[in-house]
Amino acid sequence: MPLDDEAVAEIYREHGPMLRRVVWRATSDANRVEDIVQEVILRVWKQAPEAENLRAYLITTARHLIVDQYRAAGRRPQQAQLVEVAEQDSALDRALDQVLVEEALGRLQTNHREIVRCLYYERLTVAETSVRVGVPEGTVKSRAYYAVRNLRVILDEMGVTR
């Protein structure tokens, strides 16, 4: 049974920008971005999924549409197409992972997020992070431990299984 128009409009307003970013990172084709986002929203409207995590459902649906469209194009010989599909799948997976990790980081406490960014994104040492953040090295280690533990919980809640 399809969702009502207001529910679909709310989903589009809330998740549309995120879907556009994901599809753009995967395709880099402005024409396809809007088509795929609209198709994803249309499927939500028609199917009214009872997904625990709507965001994960939307991203997965977008991924399937991108892969299906690419395979349907059939512009290349079969062997070359399989290699290109595998490369595109890999790029899409990286883009989706990045969106999910950014969202999970946004849910961390500010002091934990700062430690994770210094240690894992900027690849600073514990001593360098300690100086930058202005806390003892032991506190950096402790915050890093709890930040990673909380990230695992957040990603589990988001439905990320890998």
Side-chain angles (χ1 to χ4, degrees), residues 115-126 128-129:
I115 297 294
V116 168
R117 287 192 194 280
C118 288
L119 292 174
Y120 298 101
Y121 282 89
E122 297 179 33
R123 298 192 183 273
L124 299 178
T125 65
V126 171
E128 292 168 334
T129 302

Side-chain angles (χ1 to χ4, degrees), residues 39-59:
E39 180 65 26
V40 169
I41 299 300
L42 181 64
R43 287 187 182 192
V44 167
W45 175 67
K46 286 181 178 177
Q47 298 171 359
E50 304 225 1
E52 226 176 88
N53 185 342
L54 182 60
R55 184 173 287 253
Y57 173 82
L58 294 170
I59 291 171

Side-chain angles (χ1 to χ4, degrees), residues 56-69:
Y57 173 82
L58 294 170
I59 291 171
T60 301
T61 303
R63 179 185 185 284
H64 290 292
L65 285 169
I66 292 166
V67 171
D68 289 349
Q69 285 183 3

Side-chain angles (χ1 to χ4, degrees), residues 8 25-26 43-44 52 60 63 89 99 103 149 154 161:
V8 173
R25 286 179 184 159
R43 287 187 182 192
V44 167
E52 226 176 88
T60 301
R63 179 185 185 284
D89 283 354
V99 168
E103 184 176 330
R149 194 171 88 177
I154 291 167
T161 57

Side-chain angles (χ1 to χ4, degrees), residues 124-139:
L124 299 178
T125 65
V126 171
E128 292 168 334
T129 302
S130 172
V131 170
R132 178 177 289 176
V133 177
V135 297
E137 290 182 23
T139 303

Side-chain angles (χ1 to χ4, degrees), residues 25 55 96-122 143-158 160:
R25 286 179 184 159
R55 184 173 287 253
L96 295 176
D97 289 345
Q98 182 178 359
V99 168
L100 291 171
V101 169
E102 286 173 3
E103 184 176 330
L105 281 172
R107 294 183 186 182
L108 280 179
Q109 294 176 6
T110 305
N111 57 356
H112 287 171
R113 184 172 43 248
E114 186 175 23
I115 297 294
V116 168
R117 287 192 194 280
C118 288
L119 292 174
Y120 298 101
Y121 282 89
E122 297 179 33
R143 286 183 185 171
Y145 170 79
Y146 287 109
V148 170
R149 194 171 88 177
N150 289 339
L151 272 175
R152 284 188 187 120
V153 170
I154 291 167
L155 290 168
D156 283 344
E157 289 172 356
M158 292 171 63
V160 177

